[in-house]
Amino acid sequence: MFTDDWDKLTADQRFAARMDAWQNTPIEFASPDVAGAFRERVQLWRDAIELKKPARVPITPWIGLFPLRYSGFTGHDAYYDYAKLGQAWDKFHADFRPDGLAMTIAMVPGKVFDILDYKLYDWPGHGVPNDASYQYNEREWMKDDEYDLLIADPSNYWQRFYVPRMFGALEPWQTLAPFTDLCEAPFTAPFFVPFALPPVKQMLQKMMDAGDAAMEWLQAFIAIDGKQMATLGIPQMAGSSTKAPYDILGDTMRGTRGLMLDKFRRPEKVKAAMERLVPLAIDWALRSADATRNPVVFIPIHKGADGFMSDDDYRTLYWPTFKAVLLGLIEQGLVPMVFAEGAYNERLEAIADPDIPKGRMIWMFDDTDMARAKQIVGARQAIGGNVPGSLLTMGTPERVDAYVKDLLEKTAGNGGFFLGTGIVLDEADPACFKAFCDAGRTYGAAV
Amino acid sequence: MSNELKEAVIELREDDALRITDELLSSGADPLTIVASCKEAMDVIGQRFASGEAFIPELIMAGEIMKGITAKVKPHLAAQAADEKLGTVVLCTVQGDIHDIGKDIVASMLDIAGFDVVDLGVDVPVTTVVDRVREVQPDVVGLSGLLTVAFDSMKATVDAIGGAGLREGRKIMIGGAPVNEDVCAFAGADGWAKDAVGAVELAKTWVGGA
């Protein structure tokens, strides 16, 4: 890892070691100035996270397909044509120079999805128009009577029940035995028998083809992000991601509606399943973070927003296992960057939990009262976000400027603030987006 | 009226509500009184939602219980006249957007409130909306969307309804998480609502039922 004595380090020492590693990422920068700009930008992040006053408020919008549209390309281009994706990224970052890169990982590889016959989502040319982004197919991908299977052995449940539904090409995995069968000589041959079946062989071939397509995507991704970092000195927004256990179940397994009904019909099983998912959610982020050397963990959260449940349910159902994930990440020196989509006004007291170490995570908000968020959550953790997508799409540069000025005056005075958007931007008026960045640079240095 | 049934629905005790329904039906109770009890219960849940004491899961669970009760009561209601409807609403998620949860909740709340709801589904092309509006002649058209791409689709749909000469005598409302005053003005809709209860209130105001 980052030090020889990692196991003996405290969480604070691990945080410092990871931050140092991020700031000194081994990149061949285009010039010493660019190298300096990279270090300065990471310092903005570091100061804001630690609730200090940075030299300037970091400008960290969530960016989706906007760069593609800005360059005259489509969502289909983003997911299938890495040359166009690279061009769009070059132009966007050179023109706007935010303090975190657009999230290339969200530019998913259509070819991999095609090979695997991915069912969970529709994507451009495959169920949604070419200029749209990928969209989730809300369905009960996990059945209501499968909680016990999930709780007993999540890996087995994933491999033999959930994944074969998720990918048409992986349906034959249902016929395979669990890997846990493999523990003694006589059990070995029976485990391998299904691999002789033609559908399983075809499945393995498709997995290898998907691997080739995924490798092509990864190489493009590394080249595109690497170029932005080396020539502009802009760090990646995050080095890993994970999810809240309630959202893992509610987003793509039981579905929003399914999980809401489970809350009434089988509450104990929902809790047991979430507890089972905690170590998986921590491990998921940790493996990527160790590889990327970027300590920021992107965590979009959805199904605990205002209106989605009562405050009591939030505190007893949603928060305990999410908090366990956050604490597990912070213990490893990682920095959860939570994106609370929707409104979080009713949750501010709950998430300002004194058990979460101060200055060790970031709460990015959407449709939340930012003055209250600053007062309640901002006293313990960095906050940010909130600039509405509708304003950046349909507003005027003057209104954007006034909005950002007011937002920063309310929230950024004593540091601990990230200027960001309330949504992942798939479209924006370039003049409005420029006004957003310019206002961040002007008022973000002055407050 | 059955207070026992009403309480069970309000408290979202699904098994009890279904058992009481069975008992009432087998004891020869008037099925319309069962429906009346449920409506009263749904009114209470709707009020609790509006005042911030109940939330989307409670609305969905209540809708689920209603569905179960309706299935039991329906065979007994066949000969009864349908209730008078407050009005008709054509509802959909606009082109390019496949999110259905918000739209579905609005549809079920409108239905419970006494509207005839024609749900066109998700990712509905502009021409389909225009055709169905021409055919159904609703009092209200509801357009839902969660993505920013939906803003353009909402505007295109509103414009097309106007272009086909179908705005006269009806109102268009829009809704969805990112929808606000700006989006409403951009799309040229008559109104917008933040949630399902707001949508029902708006529709009621328009048809003169509130």
Side-chain angles (χ1 to χ4, degrees):
Chain A
M1 197 84 86
F2 303 103
T3 66
D4 295 333
D5 55 351
W6 189 257
D7 290 344
K8 297 192 188 73
L9 298 188
T10 64
D12 284 346
Q13 288 169 326
R14 288 172 179 167
F15 170 85
R18 285 192 191 269
M19 279 291 172
D20 290 345
W22 186 21
Q23 210 153 13
N24 296 294
T25 310
I27 297 169
E28 274 189 46
F29 290 106
S31 72
D33 283 353
V34 177
F38 184 89
R39 277 195 298 276
E40 280 166 22
R41 282 197 169 94
V42 175
Q43 191 63 44
L44 297 180
W45 280 75
R46 189 169 183 165
D47 288 341
I49 291 162
E50 294 198 86
L51 303 175
K52 294 174 191 160
K53 197 165 173 169
R56 168 174 62 69
V57 170
I59 300 167
T60 54
W62 306 118
I63 301 299
L65 292 179
F66 170 54
L68 277 298
R69 299 214 164 109
Y70 179 59
S71 281
F73 300 134
T74 64
H76 190 273
D77 292 330
Y79 306 145
Y80 283 93
D81 188 333
Y82 306 133
K84 286 180 180 165
L85 178 63
Q87 280 176 46
W89 252 226
D90 286 353
K91 181 168 168 54
F92 170 81
H93 291 103
D95 287 359
F96 297 112
R97 308 211 173 206
D99 296 314
L101 293 179
M103 294 181 102
T104 318
I105 197 157
M107 300 301 119
V108 295
K111 205 171 153 189
V112 175
F113 291 3
D114 286 330
I115 294 168
L116 295 174
D117 185 16
Y118 197 22
K119 312 272 193 192
L120 244 58
Y121 289 81
D122 283 346
W123 60 95
H126 195 287
V128 297
N130 270 352
D131 60 353
S133 63
Y134 63 84
Q135 291 177 47
Y136 172 59
N137 284 312
E138 181 86 32
R139 212 169 292 166
E140 294 192 11
W141 296 99
M142 171 186 163
K143 309 293 174 206
D144 59 2
D145 59 358
E146 291 178 344
Y147 274 96
D148 289 340
L149 281 166
L150 171 67
I151 294 161
D153 183 350
S155 292
N156 182 42
Y157 179 73
W158 242 267
Q159 286 167 13
R160 296 178 59 228
F161 295 87
Y162 181 47
V163 169
R165 280 177 206 147
M166 186 190 287
F167 302 106
L170 268 61
E171 263 178 39
W173 203 288
Q174 296 169 78
T175 60
L176 301 187
F179 278 80
T180 40
D181 284 7
L182 287 169
C183 62
E184 209 170 313
F187 311 145
T188 304
F191 174 87
F192 284 99
V193 167
F195 288 88
L197 304 173
V200 174
K201 288 188 175 182
Q202 285 158 16
M203 171 186 79
L204 294 174
Q205 184 58 51
K206 282 184 182 162
M207 291 174 80
M208 289 191 284
D209 294 345
D212 289 340
M215 182 60 85
E216 189 193 339
W217 169 83
L218 178 70
Q219 283 165 349
F221 176 167
I222 289 171
I224 290 168
D225 273 19
K227 184 176 172 191
Q228 312 306 320
M229 290 194 275
T231 59
L232 299 170
I234 302 174
Q236 289 170 314
M237 285 278 276
S240 61
S241 58
T242 190
K243 296 184 62 165
Y246 188 90
D247 288 332
I248 296 176
L249 287 175
D251 282 350
T252 54
M253 298 187 79
R254 290 290 296 128
T256 312
R257 191 173 176 283
L259 188 55
M260 284 178 174
L261 295 175
D262 292 342
K263 179 177 94 69
F264 297 100
R265 289 173 171 164
R266 46 191 77 81
E268 294 312 315
K269 290 198 192 297
V270 173
K271 278 188 185 169
M274 286 195 296
E275 281 160 14
R276 201 76 169 88
L277 293 172
V278 168
L280 279 71
I282 296 169
D283 181 61
W284 181 12
L286 198 54
R287 275 178 289 125
S288 294
D290 289 348
T292 59
R293 301 173 70 92
N294 178 322
V296 179
V297 185
F298 176 56
I299 312 178
I301 59 172
H302 304 126
K303 304 292 159 66
D306 289 355
F308 280 64
M309 59 175 68
S310 68
D311 184 49
D312 190 44
D313 281 342
Y314 188 82
R315 288 172 187 268
T316 56
L317 193 67
Y318 191 97
W319 181 243
T321 50
F322 184 34
K323 174 177 164 178
V325 172
L326 296 174
L327 289 174
L329 298 173
I330 292 169
E331 177 63 27
Q332 290 295 330
L334 296 172
V335 181
M337 186 181 201
V338 177
F339 178 25
E341 296 190 60
Y344 241 60
N345 294 303
E346 308 295 322
R347 314 299 184 215
L348 298 176
E349 283 82 5
I351 64 174
D353 191 320
D355 294 345
I356 309 275
K358 202 171 169 181
R360 286 292 178 268
M361 65 174 293
I362 309 163
W363 281 95
M364 298 296 278
F365 293 108
D366 173 8
D367 188 14
T368 295
D369 178 339
M370 294 303 279
R372 274 192 74 230
K374 179 68 182 179
Q375 188 194 346
I376 298 166
V377 182
R380 296 201 54 83
Q381 306 297 349
I383 67 163
N386 169 259
V387 178
S390 56
L391 178 65
L392 294 171
T393 312
M394 295 170 303
T396 61
E398 294 73 27
R399 281 181 62 199
V400 172
D401 181 86
Y403 192 97
V404 172
K405 182 170 189 279
D406 176 61
L407 176 65
L408 293 181
E409 281 171 1
K410 280 194 292 207
T411 55
N414 50 358
F417 191 79
F418 287 79
L419 178 62
T421 48
I423 58 163
V424 179
L425 279 186
D426 280 334
E427 54 183 337
D429 174 351
C432 287
F433 189 73
K434 182 174 185 301
F436 165 87
C437 296
D438 289 349
R441 272 182 261 278
T442 307
Y443 309 120
V447 289
Chain B
M1 266 292 298
S2 160
N3 277 328
E4 204 194 347
L5 177 60
K6 183 178 157 187
E7 289 305 313
V9 176
I10 290 172
E11 288 163 18
L12 303 171
R13 286 183 279 112
E14 184 180 25
D15 294 344
D16 288 346
L18 296 176
R19 178 184 49 78
I20 296 164
T21 303
D22 282 337
E23 285 168 8
L24 287 169
L25 287 171
S26 60
S27 70
D30 181 351
L32 280 181
T33 64
I34 297 176
V35 174
S37 303
C38 290
K39 266 198 173 158
E40 286 197 9
M42 292 305 290
D43 280 346
V44 173
I45 292 167
Q47 285 157 15
R48 287 187 180 176
F49 182 83
S51 66
E53 295 163 76
F55 304 89
I56 296 170
E58 284 75 20
L59 291 185
I60 289 184
M61 189 65 213
E64 189 76 3
I65 296 174
M66 284 293 294
K67 208 159 77 183
I69 295 176
T70 307
K72 288 178 184 296
V73 171
K74 220 171 189 172
H76 302 268
L77 272 177
Q80 310 260 6
D83 289 354
E84 201 173 316
K85 291 291 179 182
L86 285 179
T88 305
V89 183
V90 163
L91 193 65
C92 74
T93 301
V94 293
Q95 185 155 32
D97 197 327
I98 61 171
H99 291 87
D100 60 2
I101 292 174
K103 170 191 67 70
D104 289 352
I105 296 172
V106 171
S108 99
M109 294 291 287
L110 283 168
D111 181 50
I112 291 162
F115 284 90
D116 233 341
V117 181
V118 180
D119 185 345
L120 306 183
V122 299
D123 188 18
V124 181
V126 172
T127 50
T128 307
V129 181
V130 172
D131 289 348
R132 295 305 301 274
V133 167
R134 186 179 290 118
E135 180 192 327
V136 175
Q137 294 289 324
D139 303 287
V140 177
V141 178
L143 305 175
S144 170
L146 188 69
L147 305 173
T148 48
V149 291
F151 302 163
D152 289 330
S153 293
M154 285 173 176
K155 181 173 166 50
T157 310
V158 172
D159 288 348
I161 293 172
L166 294 167
R167 277 205 72 167
E168 193 67 27
R170 69 177 47 89
K171 300 278 195 182
I172 303 176
M173 63 179 175
I174 61 171
V179 168
N180 57 24
E181 201 63 51
D182 282 342
V183 182
C184 187
F186 172 79
D190 296 303
W192 67 284
K194 193 150 187 64
D195 54 41
V197 169
V200 171
E201 288 308 312
L202 190 58
K204 276 186 178 171
T205 313
W206 283 341
V207 298

